């Protein structure tokens, strides 16, 4: 008998990608080793010699003219080193600073206070107790002005002009902006059989990272260098901004973002506290630490949402959507400080209806000033996509009901089909890929949709209120192609720098900044996938602008789509060089060198090969003539498009008709985020996102009373759900790789927060739909649900809070 | 957290603690579980000159049932210990129903029942439980001990009748003279939330008829509400639907809630009504089952 020779005879066994922690490995998070041991290094853990402490005095009033500030009693307290007011800052041209949306924001108030909690003065002292004592000793005389807590009040005739500091600002309107085809939309509406209309308010929410914001500014007069440890999701943007605002040379500014206790969009903006701490360090020539307290964080820093919708869907009788109209009215607080790409005034709100095949759409958006905190940050979403998807799925539910078509069927009729990609959305985006129906069908099967509808009908006969809610989402993630996306002119690419050391261990630095997403784990897996180096041999560093390549930071689920792609590209550059070295070591020409994970070998002689580690050693010890030593590469990645994940969420609830209390019975989530680098981390992101969605739907919001007082500036009123009441999530997956991302991944960090809320609201509204209820504003607190079910009306949650 | 400056003492004997409070002339504060006082210090709503920490005083961490069925709960008995007490679970249904919804497990491991009653938060749970059970507090001061009914002890929001050197050392639930029944329901927005509205009911039965009744409400007034008339309406009844409805009506009437972001006054009154009905209906069902 003849035996065919084993072609791999003599070659080492192939590398098992999962074993080395490559793509698809559910590796435990390496960063947890230090977090779980209490060895994280947050900015508040950093103590510098001679460090002073700063505390901020905040306005107790929503809107008032500052008549006088008397700090003499504070100066008299021993240990007080410096007191700064708006006036003192103004003399250095720092009274106001630019926002990320081309507006200005008071650093410390000079003329008026414009929201409760606004920064009025700062004390720098030997310790934080003294600073706090001194802050309470400052006397400020205020002349009250009328507060404005919603857009209706803002545009009412005779409303006081909040931004009287701005030349030519004669009303409280921030912008009027529109997108879409108005004529086409109107024409389509004229031919519609059914027009469905829905009005609602997405309440103000707050990202509320468990670590509040803060900074340590350390200006060294001798070297002229400013080092600032600061809670930032985007340290390079901070460096650029400080260079512009504080007029320090950029090479003399080092921003270090150490371990962050969450960000959720809250740590993208530049806050007055950072600026004042930096100035204080320059003036005192001592390091100055500012730690924001919980109330400071909730009352003054970047909030999310606060948008009113008036939406209309035009349909044919058979349920086919012909056109969509969305009018949004957004409340931006006292300063337009949204952190978002410059071109778009209301973020990516126009990503709405991206997963539906709709020929025409028009959106008119107005933003207004109110006497509330500024912000409008992308709270765990890609710039207002949370509102876009919430509005979309609430409008879709109302439209299906108005057309008398089953909720699931209505979506099937209108979804973009699998073979229709890339697809131009009605507002002009280009979606990349998806299997929308497959995701929905899987979710319906898992929840037993038909079975539940029967159960619901039975239960209604006994006076029990069961409801089912469907929500689907897609989201433009990975801003994001430099033609369209920039912040203050800086294009939104990202970067990675990979250095492979002599022994085959590697260091990877990126322009992103992890805040709990697990970059240190997943990034190493991308390199492992590309080079076959074990993930544990790769250390990941981010957040120090002196060492990391320039990047736009982490928010809007952009890191895997952009920085993740840059990592793959940097690894491929390293591999290209390693191939040259391998050819040299194997004494063949480069064309004859083949690659398998972790190893180069000579074509048709698999046994003759060198490992990636061997090429690394040679890069420093035995490089070929004419080749530079070393094995490293930098990649700046400008994505060709955004990545578009998809999700289908289905939730069932039961409402207690006597109290309005509702409970989640089941929640099924099907997520398609393309290729999953680390399934464990992906699932963690989805569970966290769903928990935040549940929070928004059930309990979490910031509101205001008629006097402009903020309700929700502490944990007694700003409610974060705990493990005790959070429902269990049933997770499933579909994989549609992104066609343009180097490893087929899409963003996922935010999908569940974006798509989740509508599932809960749709379920509760569905339980009450037979009573004529079309909307209950979030959070669906029991009293609101009770009001809806007893009065058979919609319930608005818009501020001011109703009092006796 | 950066409270104002204060002195701290951790006495080992009760008399020493009283002496320290005496010296502070009303500017001192007792520190028990700290679950209400520490937040007040943090917000600088309270700026005492001295904190007298009673956690090291010996012999105050008991939950005792007397032979006649009376409960004595020491000033250092934590909510969590009450939650895990077999005696409470077996013999005291109102407290047993309340304790799992007081705060969250973390707070329950530190906070004390006596401290909660002293704190007199209009949204607190324990004062309502104790009023519904005719409970009292034992205070110890320079003149010795005195006992005060909880319904007279709590005088307003965050106010009690203790004079400043006095320390509450014990809470007592009197011995029942009939079969004990009771319940507690609370509407909260989340675990660990204070009550939007809550009702505590303690009953005793003799020969199937109510021989003692107490109903108290939390979250629906400037102080814990003692719904005496509602309780009275149950006396001598066997919890028939008329008596139950009457009690629920009177309890709702006794409450004086405010409309706020947790709900309208009408809604909160409706919740009181619903909860009183539900607790009583539950008790009635249990009674039937037992009979
Ligand atoms: C997150 C959170 C959630 C909570 N949720 C709830 C809830 O749902 N329901 C509820 O009822 N409570 C709740 N609480 C409050 C909690 O129950 C407190 O433990 C309780 O109110 C006070 O008990 P304490 O032992 O902690 O008292 P402390 O905080 O130590 O003291 C409170 C006050 O009482 C005084 N005091 C305490 N003990 C004595 C004494 N022996 N003699 C004289 N004066 C005394 C103190 O001087 C102080 O003024 C919550 C607290 C927190 C932090």
């Amino acid at each position: 008998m003849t035996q065919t020779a084993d072609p791999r005879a003599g070659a080492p066994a192939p590398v098992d990608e999962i074993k080395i922690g490559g793509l698809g490995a559910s590796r435990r998070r390496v960063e947890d080793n230090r977090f779980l041991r209490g060895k994280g290094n947050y900015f508040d853990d950093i103590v510098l010699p001679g460090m002073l402490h700063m505390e901020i005095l905040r306005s107790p009033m929503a809107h008032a003219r500052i008549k006088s500030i008397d700090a003499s009693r504070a100066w008299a307290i021993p240990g007080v080193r410096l007191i700064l007011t708006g006036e003192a800052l103004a003399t250095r041209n720092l009274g106001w600073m630019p926002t990320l949306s081309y507006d200005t924001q008071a650093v410390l108030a000079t003329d008026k206070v414009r929201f409760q909690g606004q920064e009025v003065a700062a004390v720098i002292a030997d310790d934080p107790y003294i600073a706090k004592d001194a802050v309470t000793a400052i006397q400020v005389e205020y002349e009250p002005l009328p507060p404005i807590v919603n857009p209706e009040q803002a545009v009412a005739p005779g409303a006081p002009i909040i931004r009287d500091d701005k030349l030519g600002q004669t009303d409280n309107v921030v912008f009027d902006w529109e997108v879409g085809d108005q004529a086409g939309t109107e024409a389509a509406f004229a031919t519609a059989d059914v027009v469905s209309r829905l009005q609602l308010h997405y309440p103000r929410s707050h990202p509320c990272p468990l670590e509040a914001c803060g900074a340590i500014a350390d200006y060294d007069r001798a070297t002229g260098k400013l080092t600032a440890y600061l809670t930032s999701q985007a340290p390079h943007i901070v460096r650029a901004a400080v260079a512009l605002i504080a007029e320090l040379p950029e090479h003399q500014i080092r921003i270090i973002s150490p371990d962050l206790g969450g960000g959720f969009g809250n740590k993208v903006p530049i806050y007055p506290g950072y600026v004042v701490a930096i100035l204080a360090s320059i003036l005192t020539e001592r390091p100055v630490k500012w730690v924001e307290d919980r109330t400071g964080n909730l009352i003054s820093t970047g909030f999310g949402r606060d948008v009113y919708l008036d939406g209309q869907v035009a349909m044919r009788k058979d349920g086919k959507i012909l056109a969509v109209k969305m009018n949004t009215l957004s409340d931006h607080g006292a300063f337009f400080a949204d952190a978002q790409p410059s071109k778009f005034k209301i973020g990516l709100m126009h990503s709405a209806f991206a997963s539906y095949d709709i020929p025409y759409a028009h959106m008119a958006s107005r933003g207004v000033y109110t006497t509330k905190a500024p912000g409008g940050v992308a709270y765990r979403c890609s710039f207002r996509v949370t509102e876009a998807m919430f509005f979309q799925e609430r409008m879709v539910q109302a439209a299906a009901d108005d057309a008398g078509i089953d909720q699931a069927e209505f979506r099937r009729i209108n979804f973009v089909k699998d073979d229709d990609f890339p697809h131009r959305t009605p507002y002009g985006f280009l979606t990349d890929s998806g299997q929308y129906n497959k995701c929905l069908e899987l979710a319906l099967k898992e929840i037993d949709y038909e079975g539940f509808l029967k159960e619901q009908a039975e239960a209604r006969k006994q006076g029990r209120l069961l409801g089912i809610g469907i929500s689907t989402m897609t989201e433009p993630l990975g801003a994001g192609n430099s033609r369209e996306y920039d912040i203050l002119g800086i294009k939104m690419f990202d970067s990675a720098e990979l250095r492979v050391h002599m022994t085959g261990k590697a260091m990877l630095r990126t322009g992103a900044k992890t805040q709990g997403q697990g970059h240190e784990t997943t990034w190493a897996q991308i390199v492992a996938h590309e080079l076959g180096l074990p993930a544990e041999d790769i250390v990941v560093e981010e957040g120090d602008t002196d060492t990391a390549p320039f990047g736009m930071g982490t928010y809007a689920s952009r890191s895997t789509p952009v920085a993740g792609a840059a990592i793959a590209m940097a690894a491929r550059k390293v591999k290209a060089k390693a191939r040259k070295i391998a050819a040299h070591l194997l004494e063949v020409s480069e064309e004859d060198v083949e690659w398998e994970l972790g190893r180069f070998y000579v074509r048709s002689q698999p046994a003759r090969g060198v490992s990636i580690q061997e090429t690394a050693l040679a890069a420093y010890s035995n490089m070929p003539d004419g080749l530079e030593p070393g094995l490293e590469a930098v990649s700046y990645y400008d994505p060709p498009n955004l990545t578009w994940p998809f999700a289908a969420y289905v939730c069932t609830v039961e409402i207690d008709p006597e109290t309005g209390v509702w409970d989640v019975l089941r929640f099924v989530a099907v997520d398609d985020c393309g290729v999953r680098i680390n399934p464990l981390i992906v699932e963690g992101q989805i569970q966290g996102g769903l928990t935040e969605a549940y929070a928004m739907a059930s309990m979490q919001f910031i509101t205001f009373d008629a006097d402009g007082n903020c309700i929700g500036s502490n944990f007694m009123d700003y409610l974060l759900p705990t493990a005790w009441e959070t429902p269990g999530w049933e997770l499933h997956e579909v994989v549609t790789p992104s066609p343009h991302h180097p490893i087929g991944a899409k963003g996922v960090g935010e999908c569940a927060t974006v798509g989740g809320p509508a599932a809960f609201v749709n379920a509760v509204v569905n339980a009450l739909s037979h009573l004529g209820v079309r909307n209950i504003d979030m959070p669906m607190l029991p009293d609101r649900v009770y009001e809806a079910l007893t009065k058979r009306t919609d319930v608005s949650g818009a501020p001011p809070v109703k009092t006796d | 957290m950066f409270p104002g400056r204060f002195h701290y003492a951790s006495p080992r004997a009760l008399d020493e603690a009283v002496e320290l409070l005496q010296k502070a002339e009303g500017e001192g504060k007792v520190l028990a579980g700290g679950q209400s006082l520490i937040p007040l210090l943090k917000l600088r709503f309270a700026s005492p000159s001295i904190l007298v920490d009673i956690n090291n005083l010996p012999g105050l961490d008991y939950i005792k049932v007397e032979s006649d069925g009376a409960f004595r709960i020491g000033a250092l008995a934590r909510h969590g210990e009450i939650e895990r007490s077999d005696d409470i679970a077996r013999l005291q249904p109102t407290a047993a129903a309340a304790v799992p919804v007081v705060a969250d497990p973390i707070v329950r491991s530190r906070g004390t029942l006596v401290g909660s009653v002293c704190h007199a938060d209009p949204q607190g749970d324990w004062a309502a439980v104790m009023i519904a059970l005719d409970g009292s507090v034992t205070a110890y001061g320079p003149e010795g001990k005195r006992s005060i009914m909880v319904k007279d002890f709590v005088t307003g929001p965050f106010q009690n009748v203790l004079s400043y050197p006095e320390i509450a050392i014990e809470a007592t639930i009197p011995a029942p003279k009939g079969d004990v029944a009771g319940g507690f329901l609370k509407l909260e927005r989340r675990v660990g939330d204070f009550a939007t509205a809550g009702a505590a009911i303690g009953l005793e039965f003799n020969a199937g008829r109510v021989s003692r009744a107490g109903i108290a409400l939390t979250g629906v007034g400037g102080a814990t509400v003692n719904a005496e008339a509602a309780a009275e309406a149950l006396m001598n009844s066997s919890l028939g639907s008329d008596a139950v409805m009457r009690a629920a009506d009177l309890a709702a009437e006794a409450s004086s809630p405010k409309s706020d972001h947790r709900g309208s006054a009408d809604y909160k009154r409706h919740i009181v009504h619903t909860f009183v009905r539900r607790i009583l209906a539950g008790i009635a069902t249990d009674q039937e089952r037992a009979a």
Side-chain angles (χ1 to χ4, degrees):
Chain A
M1 268 201 334
T2 53
Q3 258 186 331
T4 38
D6 174 3
R8 284 192 60 92
V15 170
D16 179 336
E17 178 158 0
I18 298 297
K19 274 207 185 120
I20 64 163
L23 214 61
S26 281
R27 252 184 117 204
R28 294 223 183 132
R29 304 197 330 161
V30 295
E31 42 273 85
D32 288 345
N33 200 8
R34 65 176 188 281
F35 293 149
L36 296 177
R37 286 170 205 271
K39 297 281 188 190
N41 187 37
Y42 300 92
F43 88 95
D44 198 18
D45 294 319
I46 297 165
V47 176
L48 300 180
M51 190 167 79
L52 300 173
H53 297 265
M54 183 175 107
E55 177 71 34
I56 291 176
L57 175 68
R58 297 179 182 281
S59 165
M61 318 200 69
H63 196 193
R65 194 160 297 287
I66 297 177
K67 306 257 289 184
S68 66
I69 301 180
D70 177 2
S72 53
R73 281 176 47 211
W75 274 114
I77 296 172
V80 170
R81 300 286 167 172
L82 180 66
I83 298 176
L84 289 170
T85 59
E87 206 179 330
L89 263 58
T91 63
R92 292 179 170 80
N93 208 15
L94 280 176
W96 293 78
M97 62 177 186
T99 69
L100 295 178
S101 282
Y102 292 98
D103 194 7
T104 50
Q105 170 171 5
V107 178
L108 294 176
T110 47
D111 50 343
K112 291 201 301 188
V113 289
R114 293 175 171 84
F115 67 92
Q116 187 185 47
Q118 187 180 339
E119 301 81 355
V120 173
V123 173
I124 292 87
D126 287 349
D127 72 40
Y129 296 90
I130 298 172
K132 182 92 188 173
D133 289 347
V135 148
T136 42
I138 298 175
Q139 287 166 305
V140 185
E141 204 187 328
Y142 294 103
E143 178 191 316
L145 296 167
I148 292 179
V149 298
N150 64 37
E152 202 183 319
Q153 294 174 347
V155 298
I161 296 172
I162 299 166
R163 295 301 302 277
D164 51 356
D165 58 291
K166 286 174 76 175
L167 229 56
Q169 180 81 38
T170 55
D171 56 20
N172 291 320
V173 175
V174 185
F175 62 79
D176 278 302
W177 191 77
E178 61 179 316
V179 63
D181 176 351
Q182 187 166 20
T185 303
E186 292 301 343
F189 266 79
T191 67
D193 298 324
V194 187
V195 172
S196 168
R197 185 168 182 191
L198 189 69
Q199 287 170 296
L200 55 85
H201 178 220
Y202 199 133
R204 186 171 273 235
S205 195
H206 195 282
C208 195
L210 287 189
E211 177 204 38
C213 297
I216 305 170
D218 182 13
Y219 180 70
D220 184 335
R221 171 78 60 209
T223 60
K225 182 140 189 167
L226 170 73
T227 305
Y229 302 85
L230 177 146
T231 48
S232 177
Q233 297 174 227
H236 282 100
I237 302 187
V238 177
R239 186 179 71 187
V242 171
L244 298 172
I245 303 170
E247 293 180 11
L248 291 168
E250 196 172 353
H251 66 295
Q252 292 282 48
I253 304 167
R254 180 182 188 188
I255 306 295
I256 301 173
S257 195
D259 282 337
L260 294 181
F264 306 98
N266 183 246
K267 291 173 180 167
V268 174
I270 317 282
Y271 292 119
Y274 302 156
V275 177
V276 179
I278 289 170
L279 177 65
S281 179
I282 292 172
L283 294 176
T284 58
E285 299 187 22
R286 301 262 295 267
V288 172
K289 181 186 263 189
W290 166 61
V291 185
E292 182 179 69
D293 63 15
R294 178 58 53 196
T295 293
N297 184 251
L298 285 169
I299 207 169
S300 75
T301 64
F303 69 92
R305 336 293 184 220
D306 212 350
V307 186
Y308 298 75
L309 167 77
D310 184 351
Q312 295 186 63
V313 178
M315 294 167 280
R316 274 197 325 240
K317 262 200 297 289
D318 62 3
K320 178 80 188 107
I321 300 177
L322 302 173
V324 168
K325 272 192 227 174
M326 295 170 78
N327 289 342
T328 70
L329 184 54
S330 44
D331 178 335
H332 297 266
F335 312 106
F336 182 32
D338 289 30
Q340 64 195 5
S342 308
K343 249 179 108 167
F344 309 106
K345 292 296 167 218
I346 188 70
L348 305 185
M349 184 75 83
H350 56 305
S351 61
F353 292 94
S355 46
Y356 293 98
D357 188 7
I358 298 171
Y360 298 101
H362 182 252
M363 177 182 296
S365 297
R366 165 170 276 200
V368 298
Y369 290 118
T370 57
T371 57
K372 293 155 71 173
V377 298
Y379 168 14
R380 205 166 184 172
C381 78
S382 192
F383 317 113
R384 305 274 185 193
V385 170
T386 308
E387 292 95 308
M389 291 303 137
F390 182 74
F391 293 162
Q392 165 193 301
E393 287 304 298
R394 296 286 299 113
M395 285 168 70
V396 164
Q397 161 147 330
D401 284 348
D402 290 344
I405 296 174
D406 170 79
Q407 288 296 329
E409 185 56 23
F410 188 76
R411 286 170 171 86
R412 281 185 207 112
I413 294 170
N414 288 294
F415 272 154
V416 174
K417 305 291 177 285
D418 298 359
D419 55 5
D420 194 12
F421 289 101
H423 179 84
R424 185 64 65 184
T425 79
Y427 289 115
F429 286 97
L430 199 65
T431 51
D432 65 349
S433 60
Q435 302 176 72
Y436 301 161
N437 234 335
K438 183 172 176 186
C439 292
L440 178 64
E441 294 309 329
L442 178 56
L444 295 175
K445 180 177 132 276
E446 289 298 331
I447 203 117
D448 184 16
Y449 185 64
E450 299 300 331
F452 186 86
L453 292 183
K454 286 196 197 93
E455 195 185 329
Q456 179 184 39
E458 279 305 307
R460 262 188 201 166
K461 288 184 203 150
Q462 300 152 20
R464 284 172 59 210
L465 299 171
L466 301 189
I468 186 161
I470 300 174
S471 174
T472 68
M473 61 77 62
T474 183
E475 173 179 31
L477 295 183
N481 101 47
S482 58
R483 292 180 313 287
E484 294 210 83
Y485 297 92
D486 70 88
I487 290 185
L488 296 180
I490 309 169
K491 302 295 189 184
M492 298 189 73
F493 52 79
D494 228 301
S495 59
E497 180 197 282
L498 177 63
R499 288 187 197 166
V500 183
H501 308 319
M502 199 162 81
T503 54
K505 315 291 175 189
M507 158 162 282
L508 176 72
R509 291 185 168 125
T510 86
K513 174 59 205 164
T514 191
Q515 314 125 44
Q517 294 90 340
H519 290 183
E520 291 166 51
T521 309
T522 19
W523 289 173
Q525 292 183 242
I526 296 176
V527 177
H529 171 69
E530 294 291 337
L531 296 181
L533 293 174
E536 64 190 30
D537 288 354
I538 300 144
V539 67
V540 176
E541 258 190 32
E542 293 178 340
D544 182 341
T545 57
D546 264 12
T547 57
F550 190 96
M552 288 298 268
T554 294
Y555 40 86
S557 292
R558 63 187 299 278
S559 288
T560 294
V562 193
I567 294 163
M569 298 317 256
R572 287 175 194 181
K573 285 187 188 173
V574 162
K575 192 160 79 184
K577 183 166 181 186
R579 180 187 295 274
K580 292 191 197 312
I581 299 171
H584 163 70
L585 294 177
L586 294 167
E587 299 178 320
V588 295
S589 77
E590 217 186 308
E591 296 78 62
D592 291 328
V593 173
E594 294 279 346
W595 168 257
E596 64 183 5
L597 191 62
R599 184 170 177 271
F600 296 100
Y601 62 90
V602 179
R603 177 171 308 146
S604 33
Q605 298 179 55
R608 251 186 85 201
V610 288
S611 68
I612 183 80
Q613 287 88 349
E614 285 165 323
T615 63
L617 183 63
Y620 297 87
S621 62
N622 176 20
M623 51 280 183
D625 286 344
L627 194 69
E628 278 179 25
L631 190 58
E632 57 184 73
V634 182
S635 170
Y636 279 74
Y637 187 79
D638 185 4
N641 188 5
L642 299 141
T643 67
W644 296 81
F646 183 80
Y649 301 131
V650 188
C651 172
T652 55
V653 298
E654 174 154 18
I655 301 172
D656 176 346
E658 277 190 319
T659 60
V661 172
W662 52 277
D663 283 317
V664 174
L665 303 174
R666 286 182 66 197
F667 194 104
V668 169
V670 178
D671 275 88
D672 178 358
C673 59
V675 172
R676 295 186 174 199
I677 301 165
N678 182 323
L680 184 70
I681 286 183
V682 169
E683 284 177 15
Q685 291 289 314
I686 295 167
Q687 293 190 355
L690 290 175
T691 304
E692 276 183 283
Y694 171 68
M696 279 176 259
S698 64
M699 62 180 82
Q700 177 180 304
F701 73 135
I702 284 184
T703 189
F704 292 81
D705 69 14
D707 297 328
N709 294 309
C710 174
I711 296 168
S713 63
N714 58 54
F715 280 157
M716 292 236 302
D717 285 320
Y718 197 73
L719 303 177
L720 303 185
T722 70
W724 287 291
E725 59 276 328
T726 301
W729 315 116
E730 303 172 37
L731 306 188
H732 302 273
E733 70 172 322
V734 164
V735 176
T736 314
S738 166
H740 57 81
H741 187 275
I743 56 170
K746 300 178 177 181
V748 70
E750 304 163 332
C751 298
T753 339
V754 168
F760 298 102
V761 179
N762 284 348
V764 169
V765 170
N766 173 258
L768 304 177
S769 60
H770 62 298
L771 304 175
V773 175
R774 288 168 66 84
N775 183 55
I776 301 171
D777 278 346
M778 296 191 292
M780 297 180 293
L781 291 164
D783 65 299
R784 295 188 185 182
V785 177
Y786 181 74
E787 186 181 338
L789 78 89
T790 47
K791 297 192 182 148
R792 305 186 170 209
T793 52
D794 290 4
V795 177
S796 159
V801 163
K802 296 184 202 84
T803 49
D804 303 301
Chain B
M1 106 161 209
F2 303 107
R5 194 173 284 268
F6 59 83
H7 293 276
Y8 169 85
S10 179
R12 306 283 153 151
L14 190 56
D15 285 321
E16 199 189 325
V18 170
E19 204 180 304
L20 285 162
L21 288 167
Q22 181 94 47
K23 272 200 212 132
E25 297 181 348
E27 298 297 312
K29 275 266 171 209
V30 172
L31 176 70
Q35 297 305 299
S36 296
L37 184 52
I38 301 286
L40 291 180
L41 293 175
K42 178 188 89 166
L43 297 168
R44 296 196 173 198
F45 290 161
S47 287
S49 64
I50 182 170
L51 283 192
V52 178
D53 183 346
I54 62 169
N55 285 280
N56 289 310
L57 296 184
L60 288 180
D61 57 353
Y62 53 84
I63 303 166
K64 283 186 201 153
V65 211
E66 301 294 330
S67 52
D68 59 2
F71 269 95
R72 292 174 47 206
I73 297 168
L76 290 176
R78 316 284 166 177
H79 307 323
E81 286 158 354
I82 298 170
E83 191 178 11
R84 291 186 293 274
S85 157
D86 291 338
D87 292 331
I88 292 283
R90 211 157 36 85
L91 303 170
Q92 192 19 260
T94 311
V99 70
V101 293
V102 173
D104 58 42
I106 302 159
V107 173
R108 289 203 290 277
S109 70
R110 296 290 306 166
T112 65
L113 181 151
V114 172
S116 169
V117 173
C118 289
H119 187 54
D121 187 329
Q123 289 181 298
D125 299 318
W126 282 121
V129 171
M130 294 304 280
I131 290 172
L133 299 175
D134 286 337
S136 51
V137 167
T138 305
Y140 181 84
E143 273 96 60
K145 281 191 199 175
R146 61 177 178 133
S147 172
I148 310 134
M149 297 283 283
V150 175
K151 68 178 159 76
D152 305 321
F153 181 81
V154 176
T155 51
F158 309 103
Q159 279 163 7
N160 63 43
V161 300
L162 292 180
S163 64
Y164 64 75
E166 280 181 314
I167 296 175
I169 54 170
E170 182 180 270
T172 49
I173 301 169
K177 298 190 185 68
D179 302 332
V180 175
F184 186 89
L185 283 175
K186 162 178 168 179
L187 181 70
E188 54 182 7
R189 296 166 300 174
R190 185 203 69 177
V191 169
D193 189 21
F194 284 90
T196 296
I201 301 184
L203 301 179
E204 285 168 32
F205 285 87
N206 261 320
R209 301 211 163 253
V210 175
S211 55
R212 190 200 76 77
I215 300 182
L217 312 170
T218 179
V220 289
T224 310
V225 174
N226 181 8
E228 276 178 297
E232 189 58 44
L234 298 173
M235 290 299 286
N236 298 316
S237 83
S238 48
L239 298 190
S241 57
D242 284 356
V244 168
M245 260 330 225
R246 180 114 187 88
D249 288 345
L250 288 168
E253 229 168 80
S255 56
S256 55
K258 281 202 161 64
S259 296
D260 60 13
H261 55 290
R262 291 161 174 266
S264 67
D266 282 348
Y267 174 71
K268 292 177 190 179
R269 243 181 250 114
H270 163 77
I271 292 297
V272 165
H273 196 274
T274 306
F275 282 177
V276 168
R277 267 191 294 114
R278 283 189 179 177
I279 295 169
L280 293 174
I283 295 172
T285 314
D286 289 348
Q287 295 278 317
E288 272 166 36
R289 213 173 286 145

